[in-house]
Amino acid sequence: MRRTLSLFALLLTAPALAGDYNGDGYDDLVIGAGEGNRALVIRGGRYGLSTAAELLPSTFGLSIDEARGMGQSFASGDLNGDGNDELLIGAPAATVFGNSYAGALILAPGSGVGPSATGAVVYNQSTIGGGGHAYKFESFGAALAVGDLDGDYDIDLVVGTPGETSGGLYAYGTVTTHLNTSLSTSSFTSKEWYQDTPGIDGAAASANRFGSAFAIGDFDDDGAMDLAIGVPGAHSTTVSADEGLVEVLYGTSAGPTATGSQAWTQDSPGILGAAESGDAFGQTLESCDIDLDGYDDLLIAAPYEDIGSTSDAGAVHILYGSSTGLSAAGTELLTPASTGVLSTTSSTRFGAALRCADFNDDGNPDLAIGAPGATVSGRSGAGAVVILYGGAAGLTSGAVTSFDRSTTGVAGDPVASAAFGSSLTSGRYNVDNADDLAIGAPGDTVGSLSGAGSVTVLFGRSTGLTTSGSLLLTGDTASLPGVATAGEAFGFALQ
């Protein structure tokens, strides 16, 4: 049960779909150096990941202050329908109009050579629409998501501003949705959402951080995607803090609506466990159709959940979709112990990152769960990742395995505070049909550089993820542009 949120905890975002930024049919991997103000785009290809390009503030004509935090969040989608995905890059610590940490969002169009500065657009809260204004410490762009929220087959954009402050409330948080997104705000239909929006359950309060995480899925299978919003700082009393809450807005032909919205906490009827101060329920979200019934399901992490007397062990809740939307019927609770491959120890932070994918190409969704605080070979905070393979009856019917830096075939050694598993993404980086997994360890030591960070890539096969041919990428990897820097947190965010 933690009392304060670290920078890593504040800015973790829900994973989104992988991107193919050059239209060659292979997914590309994007790595953010959260404190280094840069991002790397590594091309996928027939034989796997290959050439890379470095994106810096100067790439887009920005100073470091104007793009500070660049690479702390990402999203991708083909916004203009040209066959190349666009890359959206959050810079939630950017200075705007002299206001530090106001936040910015860079939209880099896809092209035959990947994300391009040509035609790139830089948004802030004052320019993107929705009625917001760029003020200090609001962290616009800390969370990003894309999906079809109105069922028109176009990609729509969601942007979180969890530090939004006004009316005597600080960091209560807002979310803006932008329908019919292309490359220009002239085509946007924008709306701002917050907990005091009529129809939304709950009330805005200081430090709620509404909009810290997103998951988009069609929970009622009506053709319009629905939006789950993480509110990890929500609390039920003045003496509690960071219990957490998830708001769900259902999609319609006109976009998300507060009508019929849901608010989920660990005290909601049917939800296993109980809300406690410091759980941060909703800090990480993911969506996929786990049981293949046609309705997307919602995974909600409470990475600081206490298990018995073990503090901050972490837990993941599964809510299943239905014709009427998400329901607590049949809800499941995953913990380190329930997986059978991870010990329940303090500060494990099981669920700090989540990723649904099909790692063995059997048609069943699999789930990767990050546990960046796990102790490995006696090294606290070295981190681990648990893989639950889906089966005919869902996640609990398939095989379970785990990976960490002591696993045979995984390059490198366990390093204290490396936080392996802090971020996760997946994509098909090579010619086969199984998804591959990238794992961020933003606290990893590279040479003598503490906190330089690293990323491990495991490739999918018909038998599941394998360490054969796995990659260890750092800022000093010879094939990558740039150099490793102490404290830059390479791997902070992945796309």
Side-chain angles (χ1 to χ4, degrees):
M1 175 187 311
R2 57 103 178 85
R3 301 302 179 188
T4 59
L5 286 172
S6 68
L7 178 62
F8 286 140
L10 278 169
L11 295 178
L12 279 172
T13 63
L17 296 177
D20 175 10
Y21 307 107
N22 59 355
D24 65 354
Y26 299 99
D27 290 330
D28 307 314
L29 172 63
V30 183
I31 301 173
E35 295 297 302
N37 307 306
R38 68 187 184 112
L40 293 183
V41 181
I42 309 176
R43 286 188 181 185
R46 180 176 180 83
Y47 301 107
L49 297 168
S50 56
T51 58
E54 184 178 41
L55 303 177
L56 301 166
S58 59
T59 304
F60 304 101
L62 302 173
S63 69
I64 290 178
D65 278 346
E66 290 173 326
R68 192 169 295 280
M70 174 181 168
Q72 290 184 354
S73 61
F74 299 109
S76 61
D78 187 1
L79 304 184
N80 60 0
D82 67 351
N84 303 310
D85 286 328
E86 276 66 61
L87 176 62
L88 297 126
I89 307 169
T95 297
V96 180
F97 307 138
N99 296 315
S100 57
Y101 292 86
L105 168 62
I106 301 167
L107 193 163
S111 72
V113 294
S116 172
T118 302
V121 186
V122 181
Y123 301 114
N124 60 59
Q125 207 174 356
S126 295
T127 62
I128 198 169
H133 300 280
Y135 294 129
K136 284 186 175 182
F137 306 116
E138 295 197 332
S139 299
F140 171 81
L144 304 171
V146 298
D148 182 7
L149 300 173
D150 54 5
D152 65 354
Y153 303 103
D154 290 327
I155 298 294
D156 307 312
L157 171 64
V158 185
V159 184
T161 309
E164 177 78 27
T165 298
S166 69
L169 300 177
Y170 71 91
Y172 65 88
T174 61
V175 170
T176 52
T177 54
H178 309 277
L179 305 184
N180 306 312
T181 310
S182 65
L183 303 184
S184 168
T185 55
S186 63
S187 68
F188 289 5
T189 300
S190 301
K191 181 176 176 59
E192 185 178 48
W193 304 86
Y194 48 97
Q195 283 184 281
D196 285 341
T197 299
I200 290 184
D201 291 334
S206 290
N208 272 8
R209 299 185 304 281
F210 181 83
S212 290
F214 301 124
I216 292 180
D218 193 354
F219 305 127
D220 54 6
D221 191 29
D222 66 352
M225 305 294 274
D226 311 311
L227 173 63
I229 303 170
V231 195
H235 47 279
S236 59
T237 71
T238 56
V239 296
S240 65
D242 301 327
E243 293 173 2
L245 176 148
V246 175
E247 298 275 4
V248 180
L249 305 180
Y250 284 88
T252 71
S253 59
T257 178
T259 301
S261 67
Q262 297 173 309
W264 297 94
T265 74
Q266 290 184 100
D267 284 339
S268 296
I271 299 298
L272 302 175
E276 300 169 309
S277 182
D279 285 349
F281 178 83
Q283 182 175 298
T284 312
L285 303 172
E286 175 65 304
S287 173
C288 59
D289 184 4
I290 291 171
D291 52 1
L292 296 178
D293 64 353
Y295 303 102
D296 285 331
D297 311 308
L298 179 63
L299 298 103
I300 305 172
Y304 293 92
E305 172 79 16
D306 294 350
I307 305 296
S309 61
T310 306
S311 62
D312 301 343
V316 176
H317 297 259
I318 304 176
L319 276 65
Y320 287 93
S322 72
S323 60
T324 57
L326 292 169
S327 168
T331 185
E332 296 181 67
L333 178 65
L334 305 175
T335 66
S338 73
T339 67
V341 296
L342 197 65
S343 299
T344 302
T345 57
S346 62
S347 302
T348 294
R349 289 184 287 132
F350 180 80
L354 301 170
R355 186 71 180 195
C356 281
D358 186 1
F359 300 121
N360 56 4
D361 189 29
D362 67 352
N364 296 304
D366 309 316
L367 177 64
I369 304 174
T375 296
V376 179
S377 301
R379 292 167 176 82
S380 176
V385 174
V386 174
I387 309 297
L388 281 72
Y389 289 98
L395 289 173
T396 57
S397 65
V400 182
T401 189
S402 66
F403 295 93
D404 58 53
R405 292 279 284 275
S406 71
T407 302
T408 301
V410 175
D413 297 311
V415 174
S417 301
F420 180 89
S422 285
S423 57
L424 300 170
T425 194
S426 61
R428 296 180 180 178
Y429 305 132
N430 55 22
V431 73
D432 67 32
N433 290 321
D435 287 323
D436 311 310
L437 179 67
I439 304 166
D444 199 10
T445 297
V446 178
S448 62
L449 302 174
S450 177
S454 67
V455 174
T456 297
V457 181
L458 305 177
F459 291 95
R461 299 288 187 270
S462 60
T463 54
L465 292 169
T466 176
T467 60
S468 177
S470 66
L471 303 176
L472 177 62
L473 306 174
T474 74
D476 278 348
T477 298
S479 60
L480 301 182
V483 295
T485 304
E488 78 164 350
F490 185 85
F492 181 102
L494 301 171
Q495 177 64 28

